[in-house]
Amino acid sequence: MINALKIFGFTILVAAFYSYVGQMVPQKITYPPEETTFSADMTPEELVQAGQEIVAGKGTCLGCHTIGSQDAALRFPDLGGIGARAATREEGKSDVEYLAESLYEPNLFIVEGFQGGMPVINKPPIALTDQEILAVIAYLQSLGGTPTVTIDTELKWQGQTPAPSAAPATPAAPASNLDGPTLFTTYLCNTCHGLDQPGALVGPSLYDVGARLSKAEIYEAIMEPDVTIAEGFPPGVMGATLNGIGFKDKISTKELQTLVDFLAQHTGQ
């Protein structure tokens, strides 16, 4: 009987802790990224504009790529001038073929000096449609080159992504049985943060995050990443990435608790 009471009391304390954390961190209403509307008569300029918006938003590309940066690139290559370089990257591939492959199968060809790990953007959680990818290709072609793709351009990978709808898609019900490592990968944390060593990627290493931050602080760093910025890292990158994949709309309370607990276990030892 005493043991049962202890277990019950512990359960209440854990629930109260997470309730406290939820109340302690400022809450904001976020919305999933808007779907881009495409039409058969879009001009090249309109397609490029749509692609630029996707790159900066739903595609989350700027979380790992710079565009014409004079400083060091982030985790993946700088995209400045890619429209002029794309046709020379892989022998026998045109600029369109190279750019399409880089988006649909990003780890087939790795630019020298960089490592693989870019997520496949036509799959969840980013899940760009074929038309959205054509718009991104048009924008990338415009960076140092001339866009040649249209909304009717056919690519061999097309048909593997969901068709665009007139209304924004309703986020799928979040899974509740995923473990910490799976959540860390599912929500693309691994594209910007390392766990196994101190070295930084796009964001700080989380190798010893459990020794540096309390669970409440880890929670805040996930849900409101710009409240405290790690020294030497730019503000806005993580927030833009999470908003781009609709993170706050997709992750469940249980998943968030699991992710916080998982990160808290990493103490650098």
Side-chain angles (χ1 to χ4, degrees):
M1 181 67 177
I2 294 176
N3 287 336
L5 288 173
K6 287 182 178 180
I7 293 173
F8 177 74
F10 176 75
T11 302
I12 295 297
L13 285 174
V14 171
F17 166 76
Y18 281 110
S19 176
Y20 167 73
V21 169
Q23 295 298 322
M24 180 181 63
V25 178
Q27 301 297 304
K28 295 181 181 179
I29 299 175
T30 58
Y31 300 92
E34 294 183 0
E35 295 289 329
T36 303
T37 301
F38 294 92
S39 62
D41 59 351
M42 289 184 75
T43 66
E45 292 76 16
E46 290 172 333
L47 199 60
V48 167
Q49 178 62 36
Q52 184 176 14
E53 293 173 358
I54 293 167
V55 163
K58 182 180 178 181
T60 74
C61 309
L62 301 185
C64 293
H65 293 279
T66 53
I67 299 180
S69 173
Q70 300 301 312
D71 300 322
L74 296 178
R75 181 173 185 185
F76 299 130
D78 179 75
L79 298 177
I82 186 62
R85 298 193 305 272
T88 64
R89 283 292 200 197
E90 290 189 78
E91 185 175 354
K93 284 189 171 67
S94 68
D95 60 337
V96 174
E97 291 170 330
Y98 170 75
L99 293 171
E101 179 187 87
S102 298
L103 296 171
Y104 284 102
E105 298 185 77
N107 297 299
L108 283 183
F109 176 83
I110 307 299
V111 175
E112 185 177 357
F114 293 88
Q115 297 181 350
M118 173 177 162
V120 180
I121 66 173
N122 64 317
K123 304 297 183 183
I126 299 176
L128 295 189
T129 67
D130 291 327
Q131 290 182 325
E132 288 171 331
I133 290 175
L134 282 173
V136 170
I137 292 174
Y139 172 62
L140 294 177
Q141 283 187 300
S142 76
L143 299 176
T146 302
T148 59
V149 297
T150 69
I151 202 65
D152 296 319
T153 297
E154 295 183 359
L155 304 171
K156 70 177 184 179
W157 295 272
Q158 289 173 340
Q160 301 176 9
T161 59
S165 58
T170 301
S176 59
N177 60 344
L178 300 181
D179 58 23
T182 302
L183 289 168
F184 191 77
T185 301
T186 298
Y187 288 109
L188 305 183
C189 310
N190 62 316
T191 64
C192 295
H193 299 281
L195 279 175
D196 300 327
Q197 55 189 1
L201 296 177
V202 177
S205 172
L206 301 180
Y207 170 76
D208 61 347
V209 65
R212 294 184 287 106
L213 303 179
S214 66
K215 286 188 177 183
E217 290 170 328
I218 294 173
Y219 180 98
E220 181 183 67
I222 295 172
M223 299 305 289
E224 300 295 339
D226 286 332
V227 170
T228 303
I229 306 297
E231 185 176 356
F233 293 91
V237 174
M238 180 172 169
T241 301
L242 294 181
N243 286 337
I245 65 172
F247 173 80
K248 294 182 182 180
D249 297 284
K250 294 176 180 177
I251 194 165
S252 68
T253 300
K254 183 174 181 180
E255 285 181 329
L256 187 57
Q257 292 174 359
T258 300
L259 185 57
V260 169
D261 290 341
F262 169 68
L263 292 175
Q265 295 170 6
H266 288 77
T267 60
Q269 299 178 351

